[in-house]
Amino acid sequence: MDKMVLNLGPQHPSTHGVLRLLLELDGEIITSVEPEVGYLHRSLEKMAESKSYIQYLPMVDRVDYLSGFFYSYAFCNAYETLNHIQVPEYANYIRVMFMELNRLASHLLWLGTYLLDLGAISPMFYTFREREDIVTYFEKVTGQRLMYNYFVFGGVRHCDIYLDEALRIVDNIYNKIDEYEDIITENPVFLSRTKDVGIISKQKALDWGLTGPNLRASGILQDYRSIMPIYDDLEFDIILSSEGDCYSRYIVRIYEMRESVYIIKQCIEYLQNINLSNVPLNNFYHKQKQHEGEIYSFVEAPRGLTMCYLKSVGEDTPYRVKWRTGSYYSTQILKDILKGVYLSDVMSIYGSLDVVLPEVDR
């Protein structure tokens, strides 16, 4: 009789989607948590079974609308590997450049909305200002600001990618990251809301299947870019922290943005030495006989490891497509790490995990 049950969501501005948290409270202390998902389910995996590969390709951007290039890459790479399609080196560099720009845009949106969750309004306007440059650039190249459909089987749709403009954007963002840190990193209110809050130990992070920045913030040195062939010739550091709290997850993402800028500049330097107006564009799909088999493809997305399982029986329609997404595992750990914390810390902890609900409800 002394405990209260509280529904947090599914209609709530700080759950970043329709997540329902069923909380049991003893005063202001949370005694149990049950995350309930499924309010946004769109059957994106099942729909693949009724569409051809080329028809399904535009839909993979929608699995996570904030990092569509990563999902396009995972699906294209699965198809290319299964059908023995060789992607030209220049196309791989273009793919990496756009994925890292997408990572920057995703982290910028996370940073702005996370600070908004904590009550700080101004940083959201600053981060969205820089993100606007990126999505405007995406629109100029692909025609879309959010759902790009730019990667195709065998390469990219075209090579008119305005490298000088991309270089200007990342140079500007690199300088702005220092400004963000001046405002946020040593802010006493921010420190009090994030330091030693929502701690995830190494073992707990592994037990619950976390990947990406949330795993590296707990001291696990794992970044799948280090084993992806398209990153072989690119230099970058794997950002690591050890405390596993909300502040560590913030620090990892801040420094990851700097590494993304460094990777993008390497890609631009390579592409500037190639006459992209004369390179042949590959479109293998219409002349490709579909092979039978099954394959896993993976990519280090902004919210962690993204895996695409593809099974083919030799027809133009996939037999099965299954996605493994980082946000799903960041959601399920809430039932562990929210026990015993104050209600006021729920959004501080949840926001630090960078969950996007469409990625959970596939």
Side-chain angles (χ1 to χ4, degrees), residues 54 57 72-73 75-81 83-92 94-95 150-159 280-288:
I54 202 69
L57 184 57
S72 289
Y73 171 80
F75 186 67
C76 286
N77 187 55
Y79 181 88
E80 289 156 0
T81 304
N83 290 284
H84 313 295
I85 297 173
Q86 186 69 34
V87 180
E89 187 177 54
Y90 73 85
N92 279 329
I94 293 175
R95 285 179 172 185
Y150 176 62
F151 298 167
V152 290
F153 306 126
V156 294
R157 292 195 179 275
H158 62 81
C159 296
L281 294 179
N282 294 326
N283 188 353
F284 288 93
Y285 180 74
H286 293 293
K287 55 188 177 183
Q288 177 73 36

Side-chain angles (χ1 to χ4, degrees), residues 1 4 27 52 60 69 108 114 229 254 264 269 278 282 304 350:
M1 295 295 294
M4 178 176 66
S52 67
V60 302
F69 281 116
L108 285 169
Y114 183 47
I254 280 286
I264 293 165
E269 183 179 357
N278 290 331
N282 294 326
Y350 175 69

